[in-house]
Amino acid sequence: MNAQPDPNATSGALRSDFANLIDGELVAGKEWFDVLNPATGRAFARAPAVDRAGLDRAVAAARRAFAAWRATSVAERRAAIGRMAQILTDNAAALAELLTLEQGKPLGQSRDEISRAASQSVGMAQILIADELLEESAQRRIELKYFPLGVVGVITPWNAPINLAAGPMVAALYTGNTVVLKPSPYTPLCTLQVAALLREVFPPGVLNVVAGGDELGEWMTAHPGIDKISFTGSVETGKKVMASCAGSLKRLTLELGGNDAAIVLDDVDPRAVAPKLFFAAFVNSGQVCMAIKRIYAHQSIYPELCAALAEEATKARVGSGLEAGVQLGPIQNLEQYQKVVGILQDTAAGGARILAGGKLPEGPGYFFPPTIVADIDEHSRLVQEEQFGPIVPVMSFTDEEEALRRANATRFGLSGSVWSADPERAARLAERLEVGTAWVNQHRATSPTVPFGGAKESGLGRQYAALGLKGYMEPRVISVLKG
Ligand code: NAD
């Protein structure tokens, strides 16, 4: 997706107190690009763009800093990450406001994102990657040890810019790598602000943050000085990233899109479960990789669940994320808004029943009411694609095998959930979802000590936990023949 500044959107004085962080210095851009507030559709700030020479400087600084940073102890790196988390917490109020301005999510959800970034960073930095003794015999000692890779390029999307930067950045830094981080051109400001706050925490060159358009991401994936790319974004871009990384066989972690199914069994109280399903589907206006994007409900509870979800949607308040009491902010950018509108039009044209929402408000901003759709054709865009917006289909099934087959009939495989009064019954079904994470009676429950990532086209590798951290390290076998 290209972030093209809209010349008509600019008016008045724009904030421009943002800089890139390169080799410990705050560097202004030769060129700037506009950042829009999705609640108004107007630019409110400008971000400094880094050119190819700027990227080269950042990569060279990261390479220089690697030798000393990899030699620090785990305890020193843990302490630096602890200081980083404290700085995020101390600056949460100002950061949350900026996050809501550029991303659109309600202020409470911005605060949650920042506190999650802080606590997950601390949690990840408690994990120990121990050496493994594979053989100790009279003849041989064989050990497996893990070493940092070098310079890690981190590329992030616009839906949760702080938390999705913190995860891979902390994983890379904690395991002894240095970082060049590029935020989405739609939401660069918080990431640049965090970089400025962290300037004193990490030695020069250890953490570099550079803003720019999609082409900056392309340069990173092709850059010979970068050893690994940690990419979070769409499946489509993920495939381009993988192809580009192949040129130098860069290590790769891909956290891509999802089309999560929730299967609701016949023994569930539909009214009790509806608010939980609604929140997991519509938080951040559905712009969450692991949001519930399809609901399969047993036919015996289908009408009642549809009614309860429609009720939740009707009472949810949509508005600017800065207003108190708002539960759904705008869609983050015009391109995504147009995509979701296209899906709505396709849904209506296909004859599905729209139980709540579906009517777009007049006026500025990319607002879209929470929309619940019933009786939809399984082959429609809303069921097949990742809508990444506040519109969710609810479909009925007659037996569990059929529900499982339909839930798995997708190229996506990020996560999914099964809901039942009998958790063991649900767990037996959940185990057969073809996903990276299968939840029972919950959705979107993550932790720094639990690996997260996608099956099928939803990703490659894992983030978080020892499994995720090892993705930022090269395993090395040391085999000693004795005597
Ligand atoms: P996107 O793929 O359009 O962009 C993501 C990032 O990649 C941006 O920084 C962009 O500038 C950069 N980019 C674009 N083209 C590039 C290229 N050719 N080479 C290198 N970098 C390039 O994604 P988006 O629209 O910003 O984010 C939404 C998507 O991200 C959704 O599909 C969502 O599900 C996914 N996502 C996944 C996770 C996860 O953990 N699995 C988390 C959040 C979002």
Side-chain angles (χ1 to χ4, degrees):
M1 215 176 257
N2 281 309
Q4 298 295 349
D6 174 0
N8 302 318
T10 309
S11 79
L14 301 182
R15 264 188 80 174
S16 55
D17 52 330
F18 299 95
N20 297 288
L21 178 65
I22 299 177
D23 205 9
E25 298 294 325
L26 294 175
V27 182
K30 282 191 198 124
E31 300 202 6
W32 295 76
F33 57 97
D34 285 358
V35 181
L36 273 61
N37 174 352
T40 62
R42 302 182 81 83
F44 73 100
R46 296 186 314 156
V50 154
D51 58 10
R52 222 181 245 273
L55 175 65
D56 286 344
R57 280 204 309 285
V59 174
R63 291 222 77 83
R64 274 196 306 278
F66 177 54
W69 183 248
R70 73 178 301 174
T72 56
S73 68
V74 169
E76 284 171 284
R77 298 200 291 269
R78 180 178 301 132
I81 287 156
R83 286 200 295 284
M84 168 194 143
Q86 191 57 50
I87 286 173
L88 285 179
T89 307
D90 294 345
N91 292 275
L95 281 173
E97 196 177 318
L98 185 60
L99 180 53
T100 292
L101 273 173
E102 68 172 341
Q103 204 283 332
K105 64 181 68 177
L107 208 46
Q109 290 176 28
S110 290
R111 284 195 214 100
D112 287 349
E113 178 177 335
I114 294 159
S115 74
R116 203 172 327 125
S119 65
Q120 294 204 333
S121 299
V122 170
M124 230 187 311
Q126 303 301 316
I127 298 167
L128 271 184
I129 304 296
D131 297 343
E132 294 166 41
L133 185 61
L134 302 181
E135 184 181 328
E136 180 75 277
S137 63
Q139 291 81 33
R140 265 189 208 88
R141 187 181 68 251
I142 307 180
E143 284 175 286
L144 178 59
K145 297 187 178 200
Y146 295 87
F147 295 90
L149 293 167
V151 177
V152 175
V154 177
I155 301 175
T156 60
W158 46 258
N159 61 321
I162 294 189
N163 196 34
L164 295 174
M169 178 185 119
V170 165
L173 294 174
Y174 177 58
T175 49
N177 301 280
T178 54
V179 167
V180 177
L181 163 61
K182 183 198 98 66
S184 164
Y186 290 113
T187 54
L189 303 179
C190 280
T191 316
L192 294 172
Q193 195 71 24
V194 168
L197 290 166
L198 297 183
R199 197 175 156 208
E200 306 296 333
V201 173
F202 299 103
V206 168
L207 171 65
N208 305 273
V209 176
V210 289
D214 294 349
E215 68 287 353
L216 178 58
E218 288 177 46
W219 301 337
M220 286 170 69
T221 60
H223 203 293
I226 293 182
D227 301 286
K228 176 192 167 100
I229 292 286
S230 183
F231 173 83
T232 308
S234 62
V235 172
E236 194 190 351
T237 312
K239 288 179 182 176
K240 291 185 197 158
V241 167
M242 189 167 178
S244 177
C245 285
S248 52
L249 269 180
K250 284 185 181 48
R251 282 14 183 191
L252 197 55
T253 301
L254 295 175
E255 291 286 344
L256 308 179
N259 194 5
D260 286 18
I263 301 177
V264 189
L265 301 185
D266 53 3
D267 57 1
V268 156
D269 173 359
R271 299 206 77 78
V273 91
K276 296 178 194 165
L277 294 174
F278 183 81
F279 183 75
F282 289 94
V283 63
N284 196 15
S285 294
Q287 302 166 116
V288 177
C289 56
M290 57 181 133
I292 293 176
K293 294 182 179 128
R294 297 174 289 155
I295 298 176
Y296 292 96
H298 189 268
Q299 60 179 4
S300 62
I301 55 153
Y302 183 67
E304 224 186 314
L305 184 67
C306 284
L309 286 167
E311 209 177 293
E312 292 295 324
T314 309
K315 69 180 189 216
R317 217 176 120 203
V318 182
S320 160
L322 293 176
E323 276 170 39
V326 159
Q327 286 154 279
L328 276 87
I331 289 178
Q332 200 278 328
N333 60 71
L334 182 59
E335 288 79 358
Q336 185 61 24
Y337 173 80
Q338 285 167 339
K339 178 185 168 187
V340 185
V341 170
I343 289 178
L344 171 66
Q345 287 163 346
D346 180 78
T347 301
R353 270 195 307 139
I354 294 176
L355 303 179
K359 289 195 181 56
L360 303 177
E362 295 280 319
Y366 311 133
F367 292 102
F368 191 113
T371 300
I372 304 285
V373 176
D375 303 336
I376 187 170
D377 177 1
E378 193 91 7
H379 303 290
S380 63
R381 286 186 65 193
L382 179 57
V383 183
Q384 295 298 320
E385 292 180 21
E386 182 189 38
Q387 66 272 51
F388 217 60
I391 174 167
V392 171
V394 192
M395 293 158 285
S396 80
F397 68 87
T398 48
D399 77 79
E400 289 174 15
E401 289 302 319
E402 173 210 339
L404 193 65
R405 200 173 54 247
R406 288 163 68 190
N408 283 336
T410 169
R411 68 196 175 100
F412 294 102
L414 191 58
S415 33
S417 54
V418 182
W419 301 72
S420 167
D422 177 352
E424 291 314 315
R425 175 187 172 203
R428 283 193 295 277
L429 208 58
E431 206 180 293
R432 294 167 62 206
L433 283 171
E434 295 164 357
V435 293
T437 304
W439 288 291
V440 168
N441 292 335
Q442 55 182 346
H443 203 106
R444 212 179 147 253
T446 58
S447 146
T449 53
V450 177
F452 184 80
K456 298 180 176 173
E457 290 194 11
S458 284
L460 200 66
R462 294 293 181 268
Q463 213 69 267
Y464 302 111
L467 191 60
L469 292 179
K470 283 178 184 172
Y472 293 79
M473 308 184 88
E474 192 67 57
R476 186 177 301 157
V477 169
I478 299 107
S479 180
V480 179
L481 187 62
K482 295 178 180 173

